[in-house]
Amino acid sequence: WFNSHYQEMVTMDEERPIESLPSTDPLPFELRVAVFKAQWHLIVVDIQSPEGISEPSVKASGKMTLDDGKDLYEETDTHFGCDDGTATLNWRLIFKNVMIPCKQPRLTVQIWNDNMLASDEVLAEVTLDFSKDFLLARKNNTAVDFPKGSLFMYHPAFPGEVRGVIDLEAILLPADEVRERPQGAGRDEPNDDPFLDPNDPHLVAHRSRIANMKIIKNAKALAGGLLAGAQLLLMLKLLAMGASGLFAAIMSIIMVTRQ
């Protein structure tokens, strides 16, 4: 049956055009990942470190490993003194020359506590598997979009527990589209796909490590309290002076009427 079946399909005198198979050689792509916010307010009570850090300085990173063993690693700047459980980052991570197809089409995203005097510590992480998306991009040699969304993050020491949330948007571009659609790393220009606001008030307020150190913020709060107290004392003094002046005026009127 096997021979007769294929003899019916292909005969010696049948002419068939020669078709070249598509190349499977790796081609360079660029992966751009926009990091908007990282949230850890769901776990604020639990992530006290041995040093008692309750307001971490948060940054995010991404890492891919190429087939030649080279690591592509990028990280955001730092949101210092994360006192409300949310770090606003607004940062574009750009991974260049990602060769597709590849053996490990995965990106590991982590959020860190950026320690000033000790080693940075991982707060949470998530690994994204791009297998199907990379194959689609390579097959058609075209861009693949990953719409903005929120991803749960975990920690190896706490299996199954959500340890954070990160807001991401990404796009995978072939080399020719990289040149046609340039974007800056971080918040550099051009910055419009997507726009990452460098002047977000929450971001701006947490750019300085020193200004967001807990001792500095406590000192500001104390100074503000002392200033408020001094202002209150001044107001009471003025009221007292006003009251004494009014009393003197009343006494003067009484003395005049008696005369």
Side-chain angles (χ1 to χ4, degrees):
W1 177 89
F2 184 88
N3 289 335
S4 63
H5 175 71
Y6 278 92
Q7 285 174 357
E8 291 175 359
M9 293 179 62
V10 181
T11 61
M12 294 298 293
D13 59 352
E14 181 181 355
E15 294 185 4
R16 176 177 294 179
I18 298 175
E19 296 180 2
S20 60
L21 295 175
S23 172
T24 58
D25 292 339
L27 291 179
F29 284 74
E30 183 170 287
L31 179 64
R32 300 171 180 172
V33 181
V35 183
F36 297 96
K37 294 180 183 293
Q39 301 171 326
W40 58 280
H41 60 278
L42 300 176
I43 53 169
V44 63
V45 176
D46 298 327
I47 67 166
Q48 299 279 346
S49 72
E51 293 79 20
I53 299 173
S54 58
E55 296 182 7
S57 294
V58 175
K59 65 180 180 181
S61 69
K63 185 176 78 170
M64 298 187 68
T65 301
L66 302 182
D67 288 353
D68 62 4
K70 178 183 178 181
D71 286 335
L72 299 182
Y73 180 86
E74 298 290 334
E75 65 180 24
T76 70
D77 65 356
T78 301
H79 180 104
F80 294 107
C82 187
D83 53 8
D84 60 357
T86 299
T88 299
L89 298 168
N90 290 352
W91 193 272
R92 184 176 290 103
L93 306 175
I94 298 182
F95 302 89
K96 300 181 178 181
N97 294 319
V98 178
M99 303 303 292
I100 300 176
C102 56
K103 296 177 182 178
Q104 300 186 61
R106 291 181 289 273
L107 174 70
T108 298
V109 179
Q110 297 176 310
I111 55 174
W112 300 76
N113 179 19
D114 183 359
N115 286 314
M116 181 170 62
L117 301 177
S119 299
D120 296 345
E121 55 185 327
V122 175
L123 300 176
E125 63 182 39
V126 61
T127 298
L128 309 179
D129 188 343
F130 290 129
S131 298
K132 294 181 180 179
D133 309 287
F134 277 23
L135 289 177
L136 177 63
R138 175 61 184 85
K139 179 181 178 181
N140 300 318
N141 195 33
T142 189
V144 175
D145 289 294
F146 306 89
K148 184 178 180 180
S150 299
L151 300 175
F152 289 144
M153 307 184 77
Y154 303 87
H155 194 287
F158 305 92
E161 291 186 22
V162 176
R163 307 297 291 176
V165 180
I166 194 163
D167 298 338
L168 302 176
E169 180 178 334
I171 187 169
L172 181 66
L173 294 165
D176 54 346
E177 291 197 44
V178 169
R179 293 185 291 269
E180 295 170 2
R181 302 168 60 178
Q183 289 292 296
R187 305 182 198 99
D188 292 344
E189 296 292 341
N191 174 21
D192 56 14
D193 187 22
F195 175 64
L196 300 169
D197 187 359
N199 298 312
D200 181 293
H202 192 242
L203 184 155
V204 173
H206 291 266
R207 276 183 174 158
S208 168
R209 181 187 291 273
I210 294 177
N212 284 282
M213 293 177 66
K214 199 165 185 178
I215 188 171
I216 300 298
K217 289 193 285 188
N218 289 341
K220 287 182 178 179
L222 177 61
L226 292 174
L227 179 60
Q231 290 174 337
L232 178 60
L233 289 174
L234 178 60
M235 185 179 297
L236 291 174
K237 184 175 181 180
L238 291 173
L239 288 173
M241 292 173 62
S244 63
L246 178 61
F247 178 74
I250 294 173
M251 293 300 298
S252 297
I253 294 172
I254 294 173
M255 293 298 294
V256 170
T257 55
R258 284 184 177 180
Q259 293 176 356

